[in-house]
Amino acid sequence: MPDPAPRSPKAEQTRGTILESAMRLFRRDGYDRTTMRAIAAEAGVSVGNAYYYFGSKEHLIQAFYDRMQDEHADAAADVLERETAFDARLRGVLEVWLDVAAPSHEFAGQFFKNAADPRSPLSPFSAESAPARAASTGLYARVVEGTDLKLAPNVRRELPELLWLLQMGVVLFWVYDDSPEQLRSRELVTRIVPVVDRIVRMSRLPLVRGLVDDVLGLVAALRG
């Protein structure tokens, strides 16, 4: 649903205040127990005004996702400017995501149980999540661009979305990671990136090209 609020500085400030207030209450009281009325009271606005900017709690979470995606892209810019090797770019972008997401780890599990429902608008595969999904896929397209990779056209076309799916796997691991400062998630990134790098580079070999085509065909069929 498009945001109906005008993009004036005052409107943006009010919208940001409501979003920050919601995040505080979600952290303190949990997502399910927090109401739009409580969010409005925390933000110092009327309930009607809160609904004017965000049609539901799900829209608040979508705005949170969008903000996190913007922060991820901004933080990844330095990595993409500095690194040219595919493995270094991929590892850097995934590690930056862990940095950006770290403050939200404590309550991430509360969102995941809703996001795991394929019918939920909070699912990363939902229509409502399409803008954040497209932005993240676009970031991984930038990871691939300008590297030393030599790829078949069909692999180059599909690789950004496959890397986004890799990030979703890292996110799932991170949600359940109870190690200090989620160090196991960082170890996962460190160990999986070289594997992905080797697989991608092998995709041009004649012996595996047919298998790669079959995998990409399967991905396309599952996408529908």
Side-chain angles (χ1 to χ4, degrees):
M1 184 180 71
D3 180 7
R7 293 296 183 179
S8 68
K10 182 177 180 181
E12 288 292 347
Q13 182 178 5
T14 301
R15 191 175 188 275
T17 298
I18 295 170
L19 179 58
E20 293 298 335
S21 299
M23 291 304 109
R24 283 196 299 272
L25 293 183
F26 290 156
R27 291 183 179 97
R28 191 188 72 192
D29 302 331
Y31 176 78
D32 292 334
R33 291 193 298 273
T34 299
T35 65
M36 287 294 288
R37 183 174 297 278
I39 292 169
E42 179 77 7
V45 302
S46 68
V47 176
N49 206 18
Y51 275 112
Y52 176 74
Y53 287 94
F54 300 98
S56 66
K57 289 196 298 181
E58 287 81 5
H59 287 96
L60 278 158
I61 299 303
Q62 287 297 337
F64 173 68
Y65 288 166
D66 292 343
R67 175 182 289 187
M68 181 175 288
Q69 177 56 44
D70 290 342
E71 292 177 358
H72 184 203
D74 289 344
D78 181 62
V79 173
L80 298 181
E81 179 71 22
R82 183 178 68 249
E83 304 290 352
T84 57
F86 172 69
D87 58 343
R89 288 164 76 88
L90 178 59
R91 183 175 63 250
V93 168
L94 289 172
E95 288 175 344
V96 163
W97 187 90
L98 293 174
D99 293 337
V100 169
S104 304
H105 184 265
E106 184 176 348
F107 65 102
Q110 300 175 31
F111 297 149
F112 181 75
K113 67 178 180 179
N114 293 284
D117 183 349
R119 297 165 297 181
S120 170
L122 298 183
S123 167
F125 301 96
S126 70
E128 291 84 353
S129 297
R133 186 168 62 249
S136 187
T137 303
L139 176 59
Y140 284 105
R142 291 172 57 200
V143 169
V144 176
E145 292 169 2
T147 69
D148 56 349
L149 287 177
K150 294 180 174 60
L151 302 171
N154 60 338
V155 176
R156 183 173 293 276
R157 182 175 61 250
E158 300 292 342
L159 187 54
E161 185 171 353
L162 295 175
L163 294 177
W164 174 75
L165 290 172
L166 171 66
Q167 178 179 298
M168 291 299 98
V170 172
V171 170
L172 176 59
F173 187 91
W174 172 82
V175 165
Y176 289 100
D177 185 0
D178 59 358
S179 63
E181 299 182 354
Q182 294 71 61
L183 291 178
R184 292 178 62 218
S185 296
R186 296 184 180 276
E187 181 182 358
L188 172 65
V189 169
T190 298
R191 299 185 67 166
I192 201 171
V193 165
V195 175
V196 173
D197 182 62
R198 287 197 295 272
I199 291 173
V200 170
R201 293 180 187 279
M202 289 174 59
S203 68
R204 286 183 59 88
L205 297 178
L207 288 176
V208 299
R209 193 175 301 157
L211 177 60
V212 170
D213 290 341
D214 289 342
V215 170
L216 294 181
L218 177 60
V219 170
L222 292 174
R223 184 190 296 131

